[in-house]
Amino acid sequence: MGLLDGRRGLIFGIANERSIAWHIARGAAEQGAACAFAHLPGEKMERRVRKALEDGGFSDPWMRSCDLASDEDLDRLFDAAAADFEAIDFVVHSVAYADREYLRPGAFVDTPRGVFAQALDISSYSLVAVAMRARHLMRNGGSILALSYYGAEKAMPGYNVMGVAKSALESCVRYLALDLGPARIRVNALSAGPCRTLSAMAVGGFERILALMEETAPLRRNIETNEVGKSAVYLLSDLSSGVTGETHHVDAGYHSIAS
């Protein structure tokens, strides 16, 4: 018997088989969940995501494109989910974006207004926009999970405006937890250590971050992406029934030390 037997979830953010969202989907499916997927628009992205899912054992997955910066796209996505599913039990938000030109050491002070606003919109506000719509399908309560990073708490060279956006995301988690708690919807964040994903590789100095983690984290290693997936299963399942408004770290203990 799986921890998520009979549950259905909607997962945002798979780009390929290295994506954290892909590992979360695999972990959820192994525990009995039925997963549906929202991906970035475009035929190339659709083919890439479909291949990653099929290679991961998802046969004929439910997939829809969605631009999280578009309310119209979000409305279409949730209308389609409402038409096809009686209800959903969990949502995974593993989406972030900032202009790569400003994700390098020393560039934060030069962040233009438009770049800042875009990063906050896609990386932070989109969680609110998703929760606003998902709550109507979460008739039996459930769990909403967002993906964050330690750069939300401490300044990390090169993370820059994305760190600010992740700080806002973690604050959104707490306020959504407060609003949605009466509906028995829990909202949490997973703060994952650095993983070799497409988005992470866009951050300047990423190899230095990996080396620092391996040298100083209490476990003296970097994490494996599937470890994030396993912690996600805990936060999506009834094992965490009393947990909401929390940021749970999966970073080999790095957040707990002075560095």
Side-chain angles (χ1 to χ4, degrees), residues 42-143:
E43 292 183 7
K44 183 177 180 181
M45 179 58 72
E46 180 180 355
R47 288 195 300 270
R48 179 192 294 172
V49 173
R50 187 176 298 279
K51 182 179 186 306
L53 290 173
E54 290 177 348
D55 289 348
F58 293 94
S59 176
D60 192 25
W62 190 97
M63 294 172 51
R64 297 291 187 277
S65 68
C66 184
D67 177 359
L68 284 175
S70 165
D71 286 328
E72 291 77 14
D73 262 24
L74 280 162
D75 287 339
R76 279 193 292 270
L77 172 72
F78 279 95
D79 285 347
D84 291 343
F85 310 133
E86 183 177 336
I88 60 175
D89 303 288
F90 64 86
V91 175
V92 175
H93 177 282
S94 182
V95 180
Y97 178 81
D99 189 327
R100 185 171 183 168
E101 173 64 21
Y102 299 93
L103 299 181
R104 52 186 173 80
F108 180 67
V109 68
D110 296 317
T111 306
R113 186 184 302 271
V115 169
F116 190 98
Q118 183 184 47
L120 269 288
D121 183 18
I122 297 175
S123 308
S124 308
Y125 176 73
S126 64
L127 177 66
V128 181
V130 165
M132 184 189 306
R133 294 161 173 85
R135 61 178 170 164
H136 301 298
L137 283 174
M138 302 179 80
R139 299 182 182 93
N140 302 311
S143 176

Side-chain angles (χ1 to χ4, degrees), residues 176-201:
L176 288 170
L178 179 64
D179 276 7
L180 298 179
R184 295 184 294 115
I185 298 172
R186 299 179 295 106
V187 188
N188 292 290
L190 256 179
S191 184
C195 304
R196 292 183 182 277
T197 63
L198 282 177
S199 57
M201 298 304 287

